[in-house]
Amino acid sequence: MRKYTIALVAIFLNSYAIASDFCADLGNKAHVEQAYLERSKSIFEVISKNRLYFNSAPSNKCKVKDLFLVPGDKVIGYAEYDNFLSAAYFKGDGDSVDGWLDMTQLKNTGLTNGPSSEE
């Protein structure tokens, strides 16, 4: 029984390492290839009916446990990659949370977080 338990733990740790490598590699690739958003339309609202989890890289396989938004929350978007948004959420105390969000669960409000390049 002990060998079986050790084998299961080894498999779990190996799959965790593979997922971690996947997310790190994807994050690096997205950093190079991401498309920056125009500041004139950089505010997004969560339209998901459920929690919208932050991801460490632009994939739902890279979900950050216990770090999520709820419907109606607003974020500032910075860049896009593979239908994911690199965004920041500012908490009430001024601290920010950054990560990648699934764009199918967001709506662009048409608002900006500051002066556009046209001003």
Side-chain angles (χ1 to χ4, degrees):
M1 182 68 177
R2 182 178 168 156
K3 288 181 182 178
Y4 179 71
T5 302
I6 291 171
L8 282 177
V9 170
I11 290 170
F12 172 76
L13 290 175
N14 189 36
S15 64
Y16 177 78
I18 291 170
S20 180
D21 288 346
F22 167 80
C23 294
D25 291 346
L26 182 58
N28 290 334
K29 181 177 180 185
H31 180 73
V32 171
E33 298 177 7
Q34 66 191 347
Y36 290 96
L37 300 177
E38 290 183 38
R39 286 184 50 180
S40 62
K41 295 181 182 178
S42 58
I43 305 293
F44 291 78
E45 181 177 350
V46 176
I47 59 170
S48 172
K49 301 245 185 256
N50 301 306
R51 294 174 174 176
L52 175 60
Y53 283 87
F54 277 92
N55 298 286
S56 62
S59 170
N60 287 323
K61 294 178 184 177
C62 304
K63 180 170 82 170
V64 178
K65 183 181 175 185
D66 297 328
L67 191 55
F68 59 87
L69 301 169
V70 295
D73 282 345
K74 293 183 177 56
V75 297
I76 297 173
Y78 299 110
E80 183 180 351
Y81 181 83
D82 199 24
N83 213 29
F84 279 81
L85 180 72
S86 174
Y89 173 77
F90 289 89
K91 300 187 286 185
D93 63 4
D95 287 343
S96 68
V97 177
D98 301 303
W100 291 91
L101 299 167
D102 183 341
M103 287 189 72
T104 65
Q105 304 302 309
L106 298 167
K107 171 181 77 170
N108 190 309
T109 65
L111 301 174
T112 182
N113 66 332
S116 69
S117 59
E118 298 169 0
E119 296 178 15

